[in-house]
Amino acid sequence: MKTVKLSSERLGVSNKQPSGKIKMSARDVKVFYGESEALHGIDMDIYENEVIAFIGPSGCGKSTFLRCLNRMNDTIDVAKVTGQVLLDEQDIYDPSLDVVQLRARVGMVFQKPNPFPKSIYENIAYGPRLHGLVETRREMDEVVESSLRRAGLWEEVKDRLDAPGTGLSGGQQQRLCIARAIAVSPEVILMDEPCSALDPIATSIIEELIDELKGSYTLVIVTHNMQQAARVSDKTAFFHLGNLIELNKTDEIFTNPQDKKTEDYITGRFG
Amino acid sequence: MSNLMLAGVLLMLLALAYQLGLTRSRKLTTDLSGQKVRLHSRPVYHGALVAFWTVVPAFGVFLLWRFIQPGVINQMIIAQLPEAIMAGMTDSDMRVFLRRITHLSSGFGLSDQPQPHELQAAELLSVLQVRGHALMLALMASLAAAGLYFSWQQIHPDLRARNQMERVVKVALIACSSVAILTTIGIVLSMFGEAMRFFAFVNPMDFFFGTTWNPRFQTAGTEGQTGFGMLPLLWGTVMIALIALLVAIPVGLMAAIYMSEYAPSRVRSVAKPIIEVLAGIPTIVYGFFALITVGPFLSSFGATFGLDIRATSALTAGVVMGIMIIPFISSLSDDIITQVPRSLRDGSLGLGATQSETIRKVVLPAALPGIVGAILLAASRAIGETMIVVLAAGNSPVLTANPFEAVSTMTVTIVNQLTGDLDFASPQSLVAFALGLTLFVITLLLNVIALVIVRKYREQYE
Ligand SMILES: Nc1ncnc2c1ncn2[C@@H]1O[C@H](COP(=O)(O)OP(=O)(O)O)[C@@H](O)[C@H]1O
Ligand SMILES: [Mg+2]
């Protein structure tokens, strides 16, 4: 797509292939909500510029693990995380690490589209302004345009950047949220069931978008939709009852699962 | 029969009728051949319906009678007064006369010797009252009996007592809400009527735009009275309310932000009720707190800076009133801030904003309309507040921009004009109604604006 190429030049990213370099890794990550242990020691390596999907029955801890990767669990009073999570070999739970910087590098898109009740422009400008990424209004205009282009939303909203973001349709709102995350040039983008609140058409547009973003960012996507995982991801991780059961190349998982539970789940025998 | 006894009898009748309805409908559940019959409505509904028809119409007669009887009796008494006496009486003489014979007939007595025609009328009054009461009792008894009999007769397996009770409940609810609404309308209308009487004495332009408040007592009835300029009072009211808001908005808002965003739930559950206690302190207590503590403190505090602050001043009243309305702002804003969805906060935090950045840039702007609404509600509360200003504002109705001076407000003036020796026909007391009406319109407008804003805000997240 032409627009996307244009914008990727602007953002200074090129379509790289998975480099084989480990971007994030988790070692024996456990999460407690109060007394109850929701994750029982997860080990996982996430490689740079690949798309990894988390699947599993609901309540198995996918979102919980995802939130460990940018420390969003810190915002939940009762949640406690143990173990190690590394981003570029640096422990993100190290007290010396600035969580604000971390979340700029590891962006997040939520299940329900949550645009701020501000204009479309302000929604995108929010992050860059916080982190002082741009100096002038002109630079900001450029960031807003390129982020919206990358999210495939530019053509639809370029004439009404001052309109409230909350006035867009659900699918447009979710793309706005993706654009908002992209605007701070993150290295990793976490998406927690980004399509579960959307209709099938909006879903397929978001899936296309994920495909476009592939290779420029490391993407972690939680989904309850196995076709979606199969369509968009390079690797798939299957969670069950707070454990990581299996992690492999997506075609391997779906054609030749190693674990009985995985097989049962993807053939629809439970879930 | 005294009213209390009557009430007792009606209650007993209620219970009896209910029981009768209940028993009869229970009997109907088996027919003559001993077969089970399904009732449309459960027996309790039949009982309730019978009780309703027995007591409510009779009670309605009671209310109506109480309302109408005095007027009718007065008319009858006046009708039989000798022509000679009638001729010399004005309206107010007539009122005095009626009051005197009421005192006579109730055995209250008079301070002077009653005249023969008064004694006669008083006697007639007691006779008529006794007769009226008896007539009322008879009517009530027959209505109750008829209601009981017919509704009891009506009981039948197919009778839709349940649906009928539903209608009764609905009518009762409507009646209660009408009472509240009609009272409001009645108050406004009576204020309006009295205010119109005031404007017969004083030109509305002079009242609304006059800058001197100095109503001297002149003989009632003379037109073109002066000294009724409302502006000094309005300005006093506005200035004190503004000072109060200057105190209450920052404190209340910060408290609300702390409570909703930072406070651990244990702190919140203790601190929030404590703040709300402020709203429960009687305003007279605030008043003497202002008079005895805050006023002298501000005065001596000002003296150390060479400022001349009166102990009773707009500042004193405003500061104390500000403390009083803190809970209105903090508690409402707290609710509104808590209503801002978590997903918005997560969105901001997920982009790397700190907590205070999130509050400043996302939560507060989203909650702003609601907070403005809360502030307007607090403002209308401040404008109508009386006791604090009576005690602490100094009661000096002059137009001044200096908050360290004594001022007066509309509420204080209303109190002043309506206490002491009164002639309710003079503009000096009628002005209270004009002031009250103005105050009412101001607070009503503030409330309406606030409610519209708050409602708009509510819709935003639905
Ligand atoms: N904020 C929370 N407080 C307490 N328990 C939670 C919270 N969030 C999730 N949990 C629990 O943690 C487990 C995993 O939840 P989650 O990560 O949301 O699952 P998934 O996203 O796979 O559906 C569930 O048992 C859930 O009840
Ligand atoms: Mg989830």
Side-chain angles (χ1 to χ4, degrees):
Chain A
M1 240 167 113
K2 199 168 159 226
T3 53
V4 169
K5 251 190 212 131
L6 237 177
S7 56
S8 35
E9 278 157 23
R10 269 209 192 124
L11 278 177
V13 280
S14 55
N15 277 15
K16 292 168 278 190
Q17 283 310 303
S19 58
K21 176 175 165 252
I22 292 177
K23 187 68 186 173
M24 295 193 82
S25 54
R27 290 290 167 266
D28 195 29
V29 169
K30 293 181 181 169
V31 177
F32 302 84
Y33 289 115
E35 294 295 300
S36 79
E37 188 176 304
L39 285 182
H40 313 298
I42 306 288
D43 292 288
M44 184 187 288
D45 290 321
I46 297 170
Y47 289 83
E48 189 166 45
N49 294 335
E50 73 177 13
V51 180
I52 181 166
F54 293 175
I55 60 171
S58 99
C60 65
K62 308 180 294 290
S63 302
T64 300
F65 183 65
L66 194 73
R67 285 197 302 265
C68 292
L69 300 179
N70 70 343
R71 291 184 54 177
M72 280 301 278
N73 279 329
D74 294 10
T75 66
I76 299 172
D77 285 343
V78 292
K80 197 170 127 269
V81 180
T82 65
Q84 243 189 352
V85 180
L86 304 178
L87 171 64
D88 288 342
E89 277 147 32
Q90 192 189 6
D91 185 357
I92 66 171
Y93 281 90
D94 191 280
S96 67
L97 184 120
D98 181 5
V99 66
V100 164
Q101 291 303 317
L102 168 71
R103 289 185 190 146
R105 291 173 66 192
V106 184
M108 191 159 197
V109 174
F110 298 83
Q111 188 163 357
K112 207 172 139 253
N114 58 348
F116 302 130
K118 299 171 182 285
S119 71
I120 294 171
Y121 186 97
E122 286 301 319
N123 262 283
I124 309 291
Y126 186 82
R129 202 170 277 153
L130 277 180
H131 299 293
L133 299 183
V134 291
E135 303 276 311
T136 63
R137 173 84 191 186
R138 257 194 46 139
E139 283 175 336
M140 185 62 89
D141 289 347
E142 274 173 26
V143 170
V144 169
E145 180 175 344
S146 58
S147 308
L148 284 170
R149 278 191 194 281
R150 287 229 76 169
L153 196 58
W154 175 252
E155 292 302 326
E156 288 158 69
V157 301
K158 65 179 177 198
D159 298 324
R160 47 173 173 147
L161 292 176
D162 290 331
T166 41
L168 298 173
S169 75
Q172 288 174 323
Q173 287 188 11
Q174 195 62 300
R175 278 181 283 153
L176 181 65
C177 293
I178 294 174
R180 186 173 73 182
I182 291 174
V184 290
S185 318
E187 298 153 34
V188 182
I189 302 177
L190 312 174
M191 298 188 181
D192 193 349
E193 303 195 20
C195 302
S196 66
L198 306 181
D199 62 63
I201 293 175
T203 299
S204 71
I205 294 176
I206 300 272
E207 282 180 14
E208 269 171 42
L209 171 58
I210 291 170
D211 226 44
E212 305 282 352
L213 299 176
K214 200 184 255 186
S216 312
Y217 305 94
T218 307
L219 291 171
V220 186
I221 297 168
V222 173
T223 176
H224 60 256
N225 177 332
M226 273 169 290
Q227 287 78 27
Q228 187 171 69
R231 278 195 298 268
V232 302
S233 66
D234 302 317
K235 289 200 180 139
T236 297
F238 173 65
F239 285 76
H240 183 54
L241 294 178
N243 292 304
L244 174 60
I245 305 296
E246 193 169 348
L247 165 59
N248 210 335
K249 290 221 164 59
T250 298
D251 7 336
E252 284 288 317
I253 288 266
F254 283 100
T255 53
N256 185 18
Q258 301 299 306
D259 195 286
K260 181 79 170 60
K261 287 199 203 88
T262 317
E263 189 180 345
D264 286 350
Y265 182 70
I266 59 174
T267 52
R269 229 162 288 163
F270 72 88
Chain B
M1 203 188 304
S2 80
N3 288 342
L4 205 61
M5 261 174 71
L6 199 60
V9 170
L10 280 179
L11 276 181
M12 265 152 55
L13 214 55
L14 191 80
L16 180 76
Y18 178 77
Q19 275 306 323
L20 285 175
L22 205 63
T23 337
R24 181 171 161 94
S25 57
R26 281 223 179 104
K27 281 216 187 86
L28 288 178
T29 50
T30 46
D31 67 5
L32 295 173
S33 53
Q35 286 272 298
K36 279 256 179 256
V37 177
R38 233 186 92 74
L39 298 188
H40 172 274
S41 305
R42 277 160 48 223
V44 278
Y45 287 110
H46 290 284
L49 199 62
V50 173
F52 172 80
W53 282 117
T54 310
V55 172
V56 173
F59 186 66
V61 164
F62 173 76
L63 287 183
L64 212 61
W65 201 276
R66 287 274 126 185
F67 191 64
I68 293 172
Q69 172 172 309
V72 173
I73 290 183
N74 283 350
Q75 285 307 314
M76 289 167 77
I77 289 174
I78 291 167
Q80 60 78 54
L81 275 182
E83 277 295 323
I85 291 170
M86 272 299 282
M89 277 218 250
T90 64
D91 264 5
S92 66
D93 287 343
M94 186 63 82
R95 247 177 283 150
V96 172
F97 165 73
L98 287 175
R99 208 175 314 140
R100 281 170 69 91
I101 64 167
T102 316
H103 284 178
L104 278 174
S105 78
S106 60
F108 220 60
L110 290 177
S111 49
D112 55 353
Q113 270 303 312
Q115 293 175 4
H117 76 271
E118 287 179 334
L119 282 172
Q120 201 187 343
E123 203 160 306
L124 180 63
L125 177 63
S126 7
V127 171
L128 284 177
Q129 276 177 342
V130 169
R131 267 196 222 147
H133 195 67
L135 209 58
M136 177 186 83
L137 287 182
L139 195 58
M140 283 175 72
S142 41
L143 261 182
L148 177 60
Y149 179 72
F150 286 114
S151 58
W152 185 78
Q153 278 267 304
Q154 283 274 311
I155 294 177
H156 186 270
D158 293 336
L159 178 69
R160 304 193 164 186
R162 189 178 173 193
N163 307 30
Q164 291 191 17
M165 272 322 286
E166 196 61 28
R167 233 168 300 151
V168 169
V169 166
K170 197 168 118 195
V171 170
L173 294 178
I174 291 175
C176 288
S177 25
S178 322
V179 167
I181 292 170
L182 288 179
T183 317
T184 314
I185 293 176
I187 290 176
V188 172
L189 283 184
S190 84
M191 272 207 303
F192 193 75
E194 300 292 323
M196 284 301 116
R197 282 175 67 196
F198 168 73
F199 288 126
F201 293 106
V202 177
N203 185 338
M205 293 300 281
D206 292 344
F207 173 70
F208 287 114
F209 301 108
T211 54
T212 25
W213 176 263
N214 187 18
R216 272 170 308 244
F217 275 85
Q218 299 173 344
T219 25
T222 45
E223 286 207 14
Q225 303 217 13
T226 55
F228 283 105
M230 184 190 73
L231 283 185
L233 309 177
L234 182 63
W235 170 242
T237 300
V238 170
M239 181 157 69
I240 291 178
L242 284 181
I243 295 171
L245 289 178
L246 276 181
V247 173
I249 291 175
V251 178
L253 211 51
M254 303 271 187
I257 292 172
Y258 174 71
M259 289 296 156
S260 57
E261 300 285 327
Y262 290 95
S265 57
R266 242 176 326 128
V267 175
R268 182 183 154 96
S269 65
V270 176
K272 218 185 159 196
I274 292 181
I275 293 181
E276 276 160 14
V277 162
L278 280 180
I281 296 176
T283 55
I284 185 78
V285 175
Y286 279 111
F288 62 70
F289 174 60
L291 191 64
I292 292 170
T293 313
V294 179
F297 169 76
L298 286 176
S299 179
S300 63
F301 186 73
T304 61
F305 293 96
L307 283 174
D308 182 22
I309 303 180
R310 299 267 313 261
T312 55
S313 65
L315 185 68
T316 309
V319 166
V320 174
M321 197 187 282
I323 296 169
M324 182 195 81
I325 60 176
I326 285 173
F328 288 85
I329 293 184
S330 72
S331 175
L332 277 172
S333 307
D334 180 0
D335 291 346
I336 287 160
I337 291 173
T338 320
Q339 269 183 37
V340 174
R342 192 188 156 86
S343 65
L344 282 186
R345 291 163 225 262
D346 283 350
S348 171
L349 294 171
L351 284 169
T354 63
Q355 193 171 5
S356 75
E357 282 166 345
T358 301
I359 293 167
R360 248 183 315 126
K361 298 193 171 171
V362 174
V363 177
L364 283 187
L368 191 64
I371 292 173
V372 170
I375 290 171
L376 289 183
L377 283 180
S380 87
R381 182 65 211 251
I383 284 173
E385 167 50 36
T386 311
M387 278 337 289
I388 294 175
V389 275
V390 164
L391 289 175
N395 189 21
S396 146
V398 287
L399 203 53
T400 171
N402 183 355
F404 304 148
E405 288 287 325
V407 295
S408 186
T409 68
M410 305 180 68
T411 50
V412 171
T413 309
I414 292 175
V415 172
N416 288 342
Q417 299 303 109
L418 290 184
T419 45
D421 263 346
L422 281 188
D423 172 7
F424 268 104
S426 75
Q428 279 75 18
S429 40
L430 285 177
V431 69
F433 294 98
L435 287 172
L437 194 64
T438 315
L439 206 54
F440 173 75
V441 171
I442 294 173
T443 47
L444 183 71
L445 280 181
L446 280 180
N447 280 329
V448 168
I449 297 172
L451 286 179
V452 168
I453 292 175
V454 171
R455 189 168 308 159
K456 257 238 174 80
Y457 163 79
R458 291 249 158 82
E459 282 162 5
Q460 200 175 316
Y461 298 121
E462 276 163 10

